[in-house]
């Protein structure tokens, strides 16, 4: 009897010790099932909508020239592309703030208080940085275009107070290596649009806050002087077509669309007025209504 009790006690003690060791030892099963907590590798851009396109994935700027088969990282800080009073939604580059074609790539950006351009003419094999303006207030409107191997323009605005701001036009005649500021238009309304047809003829459109009529200024001497263009709007369309867009060449004349502004509701806000000029943009005659997406 005594031996039976002693044996039972030994068995119980052995079980308790084994249980203690089991519950206080690392579990082999737990080690196997423990998830991998390492950060997954960053995804690389995998697609492109066009043969020449860009991506802002991974907080960096990448470009492709072969519809996404290969990507090249642009040596620029992504945040610099959005610096300024207006910064867009930062999910895509701001419209007109860059040039991306098979022959030319250029990004307009602000770094501290300088306005700069990073450009490439060999699909990103080499890059050149040029300074447009050494000191400039935080920019709102920005637009860059390179028309050929020599001529290009930059239009920017800043220092806005209510419905007034300063605007500037910079031109290059050496492919973007150097930039020179054109004479000011002396108009302080908010810039709506602008651009150049060639090295001599350019336009600035003003008025984006409740405009009642378009205000377009033209230069025909490469920015040395500016004058207001005459836009002959039929009475039917007064206070309907109110913001001039950048004119463009159409055959042997110039054409321009004038939109309804942010609150236009004529024909559901889906039409614009088309105007034509035969004197280089000084005067404009109404040609007809066109759909907004044309």
């Amino acid at each position: 009897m005594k031996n039976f009790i002693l044996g039972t006690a030994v068995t119980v003690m052995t079980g308790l010790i084994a249980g203690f060791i089991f519950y206080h030892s690392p579990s082999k099963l737990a080690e196997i099932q423990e998830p991998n907590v390492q950060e997954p590798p960053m995804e690389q851009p995998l697609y492109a909508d066009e043969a020449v396109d860009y991506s802002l994935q991974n907080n960096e700027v990448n470009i492709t020239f072969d519809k996404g088969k290969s990507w090249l990282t642009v040596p620029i800080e992504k945040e610099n592309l959005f610096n300024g009073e207006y910064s867009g939604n930062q999910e895509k580059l701001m419209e007109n703030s860059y040039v991306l074609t098979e022959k030319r790539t250029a990004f307009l950006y602000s770094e501290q208080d300088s306005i700069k351009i990073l450009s490439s003419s060999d699909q990103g094999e080499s890059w050149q940085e040029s300074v447009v303006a050494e000191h400039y207030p935080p920019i709102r409107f920005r637009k860059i275009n390179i028309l050929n191997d020599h001529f290009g323009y930059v239009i920017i605005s800043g220092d806005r107070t209510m419905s007034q701001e300063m605007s500037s036009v910079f031109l290059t005649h050496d492919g973007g290596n150097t930039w020179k500021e054109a004479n000011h238009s002396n108009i302080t309304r908010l810039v709506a649009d602008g651009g150049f047809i060639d090295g001599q003829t350019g336009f600035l459109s003003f008025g984006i806050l409740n405009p009642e009529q378009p205000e377009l200024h033209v230069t025909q001497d490469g920015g040395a002087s500016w004058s207001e263009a005459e836009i002959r709007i039929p009475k039917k369309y007064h206070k309907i077509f109110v913001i001039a867009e950048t004119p463009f060449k159409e055959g042997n004349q110039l054409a321009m669309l004038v939109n309804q502004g942010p609150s236009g509701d004529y024909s559901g806000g889906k039409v614009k007025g088309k105007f034509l000029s035969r004197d280089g943009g000084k005067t404009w005659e109404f040609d007809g209504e066109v759909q907004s997406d044309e």
Side-chain angles (χ1 to χ4, degrees), residues 72-91:
L72 176 70
T73 300
V74 180
I76 190 173
E77 294 293 331
K78 176 186 171 183
E79 61 182 18
N80 287 343
L81 296 170
F82 299 95
N83 285 339
E85 179 189 337
Y86 175 74
S87 58
N89 62 18
Q90 302 195 23
E91 294 181 359

Side-chain angles (χ1 to χ4, degrees), residues 38-273:
Q38 295 180 351
E39 291 293 330
M42 298 295 288
E43 293 183 0
Q44 295 299 314
L46 298 177
Y47 65 91
D49 294 329
E50 305 291 342
V52 182
D53 208 346
Y54 73 88
S55 166
L56 299 181
Q57 288 182 257
N58 309 335
N59 203 37
E60 63 184 19
V61 185
N62 293 279
I63 55 176
T64 181
F65 295 93
D66 55 12
K67 201 174 176 59
K69 294 179 181 178
S70 61
W71 292 86
L72 176 70
T73 300
V74 180
I76 190 173
E77 294 293 331
K78 176 186 171 183
E79 61 182 18
N80 287 343
L81 296 170
F82 299 95
N83 285 339
E85 179 189 337
Y86 175 74
S87 58
N89 62 18
Q90 302 195 23
E91 294 181 359
K92 61 181 181 179
L93 295 177
M94 284 177 276
E95 186 178 8
N96 298 320
S97 69
Y98 65 98
V99 175
L100 185 54
T101 67
E102 291 184 351
K103 294 183 177 181
R104 172 75 68 165
T105 303
F107 296 92
L108 176 66
Y109 66 100
S110 175
E111 187 174 47
Q112 296 180 347
D113 63 346
S114 294
I115 309 301
K116 299 181 178 180
I117 293 173
L118 183 69
S119 63
S120 173
S121 57
D122 54 14
Q123 296 193 351
E125 291 186 17
S126 61
W127 295 92
Q128 299 78 42
E129 181 186 83
S130 56
V131 177
V132 177
E134 289 282 2
H135 303 287
Y136 205 88
I139 55 178
R140 182 191 64 83
F141 181 88
R142 68 201 75 188
K143 185 174 184 179
I144 180 176
N145 202 359
I146 309 295
L147 301 188
N148 52 50
D149 291 339
H150 304 286
F151 179 74
Y153 65 85
V154 164
I155 301 174
I156 53 177
S157 71
D159 202 23
R160 183 172 73 91
T161 302
M162 301 298 288
S163 60
Q164 305 293 313
E165 68 181 0
M166 65 177 287
S167 58
S168 306
V169 175
F170 295 87
L171 305 177
T172 181
H173 294 277
D174 59 9
N177 293 321
T178 60
W179 294 83
K180 183 178 180 180
E181 186 173 6
N183 286 335
H184 285 269
S185 65
N186 296 321
I187 307 301
T188 58
R189 295 182 69 191
L190 301 186
V191 175
D193 203 355
F196 276 71
I197 299 296
D198 52 40
Q200 296 299 309
T201 306
F203 300 90
L204 288 172
S205 173
F206 296 93
I208 61 175
L209 298 177
N210 302 315
E212 295 189 348
Q213 62 184 20
E215 182 177 350
L216 182 73
H217 289 251
V218 56
T219 179
Q220 294 184 334
D221 53 17
S225 63
W226 297 85
S227 61
E228 186 170 1
E230 181 183 355
I231 305 175
R232 297 166 181 166
I233 301 179
K235 186 176 181 179
K236 174 183 177 180
Y237 299 108
H238 283 186
K239 297 185 180 181
I240 293 178
F241 298 135
V242 295
I243 298 180
E245 300 178 4
T246 301
F248 53 93
K249 289 183 178 180
E250 187 175 80
N252 59 356
Q253 59 192 355
L254 298 182
M256 175 180 66
L257 301 181
V258 181
N259 66 55
Q260 301 184 39
S263 57
D265 59 3
Y266 172 75
S267 292
K270 297 180 180 180
V271 299
K272 300 178 181 180

Side-chain angles (χ1 to χ4, degrees), residues 14-33:
T14 301
L16 290 174
I17 292 172
F20 178 85
I21 293 174
F22 176 83
Y23 286 108
H24 288 78
S25 298
S27 171
K28 296 299 182 181
L29 182 61
E31 288 180 359
I32 294 173
Q33 293 181 338

